[in-house]
Structures are given as structure tokens and as C-alpha cells.
Amino acid sequence: MSRTGLALDGSGIDGSLYLDVTDLAHRTPAPVGRLVADWSAYGLALFALLMAAAWWRARRGPSAVMAAALAAPVVVVAVFAADTALKSVLREPRPCRVLPAGATLEACPGAGDWSMPSNHTVIAFAAAAALWQVDRGLAAVAGVAAAAMGVSRVFVGVHYPHDVLAGALVGTLLGLAPARLARLAGPAVEHLRAGRLRPLVGG
């Protein structure tokens, strides 16, 4: 055991599945691979847009829903911070630094940029969980997009499958409770709706 963490080796968990997926990525037509890589790199912007849409739609809804909409970005940032701390404890090296996967579709992060849980997946699922307390339709879109984000992280070669599963679990569990608690701040939103901030919070 390391003095600063566990230094896990994830290759024995599902390293062979990781190699199967990266081999498929190498055999995928280049335009498809580029599309997946672009989604993996930039797709988190969609979740920011979904949270903005949830806030906009919540302006006409109950104060508790608006409270959850305002809290959603804060919840996601807090979950990301918790995940970053967890990664520093687990200290699992990236599979692309351990296994002979060949050239990955995304540049392999440097040593010390730990693998589990997947940050991208955590953020995506935390956003979907937070949106569940605001707008179920947008949350469903976010859930599908979050699953696609997780798969893409393995496809481009920077995560094991179990990193993604752990990220989905961490993001969902840590995202749901605080987003639900945020609805209790409905009275505070009612107060804001009676003041100068009404254009921002609706009512």
C-alpha cells in the first residue's frame, strides 16, 4: 500500500474487456471514431446546456423545483470534488499506461492522473441525478447521454469499464440526495420571487 493511497491495479478486473473495446475502436471507421472521440472530449457541455434548460423551464414551476434547478450545478461541482478526492485515494493507473492497447483515440493522460472513478462519467451521472429533481424529461435525455459518455471513455482508451461503472454509481448516489434536499429551499426561492431577482427565478 502506498503512503498516499491504495495504488490499485485495475487490469485484473476487466483488462481483457478493455482491450476488446479498444481493438474494436481501432477497427471502427475513422469518421465514427472521431465522432466518439469528440463526444468524449466535449460532450460534457451538453449537461451544462441541459441544466440551463432546466433552470429556464423551472421559472414557471413551483419554488421547490426552481430551488433544485439552481442547486444542480452546485451539486455537480461538489460531486466532482468528492470524486477527485476519491481518485487520489484509490490511485488506479490509467489502462492506457498499463496495457498494450496501442494508440488510443484520445491521448493517454499522464502519470498521476488516476483512472477510477471516471470523472467524465461522474459529472454526467451527477447532472442526470440532479436534473431528476427538476425535470424528468431532461433527466431522461441526460441519463442516455451519461451512459453514452461512459461508454465513450472506454472506447477512446482512457478508462477501464469498471471505472465507468464506478463513476455512474458515485455520480448517481452523490448527486441524488443533495439535489432532493435542495427542494427544501423552496421558501427561500419564494422570497426571491418577491424581490428584484424575480426575472431570474420566475414566479
Side-chain angles (χ1 to χ4, degrees), residues 18-37:
Y18 164 82
L19 291 174
D20 288 342
V21 174
T22 53
D23 179 61
L24 174 64
H26 292 151
R27 292 185 283 107
T28 298
V32 176
R34 186 69 264 158
L35 181 64
V36 176

Side-chain angles (χ1 to χ4, degrees), residues 85-109:
L86 179 60
K87 287 167 75 84
S88 68
V89 172
L90 298 177
R91 293 171 58 87
E92 178 191 73
R94 298 274 182 167
C96 47
R97 301 192 67 82
V98 176
L99 297 174
T104 53
L105 298 187
E106 184 174 308
C108 189

